[in-house]
Amino acid sequence: MGEAEIPFQPSEVDIVSTKIRTWNNKHEGNKFYTNLIAETVAAGGLESPSDVRRAAEKMFRILTVERGGRFLKLPEGLSTSETCTIMTDRRCVEKIIHGLKTAMAK
């Protein structure tokens, strides 16, 4: 399924994707995502690209299937909007992989 535009009404388990950091420290879904990234990196075992991909896919299942969250992308440069885009599963996993790699580099 492709990305779909919907009204922007994030729940507490949704992850709001935006380059503006406002959401990272204030929204429960984003805080859970950030903590899950940190815990996954701290646990180790991410030596190869396939390890990182497996970890990202597991995190995606936790965030979406187990918690019922969605990855919502806001329009570029906005911290809020009337609409947002639901990201595709593939794009979500890519975002998580990027987050893992960024956290591992710190």
Side-chain angles (χ1 to χ4, degrees), residues 21 25 34 43 51 59 70 84 96:
R21 300 252 178 234
N25 299 326
T34 302
D51 293 336
M59 288 178 58
R70 304 168 296 174
C84 64
I96 296 168

Side-chain angles (χ1 to χ4, degrees), residues 37 40-49 51-56 100 104:
I37 290 272
T40 302
V41 169
L46 302 175
E47 285 80 29
S48 72
D51 293 336
V52 174
R53 176 161 288 285
R54 273 193 296 280
L100 288 168
M104 289 174 8

Side-chain angles (χ1 to χ4, degrees), residues 27-39:
H27 185 66
E28 289 303 316
N30 285 50
K31 288 194 286 188
F32 185 88
Y33 168 76
T34 302
N35 289 335
L36 189 57
I37 290 272
E39 290 170 12

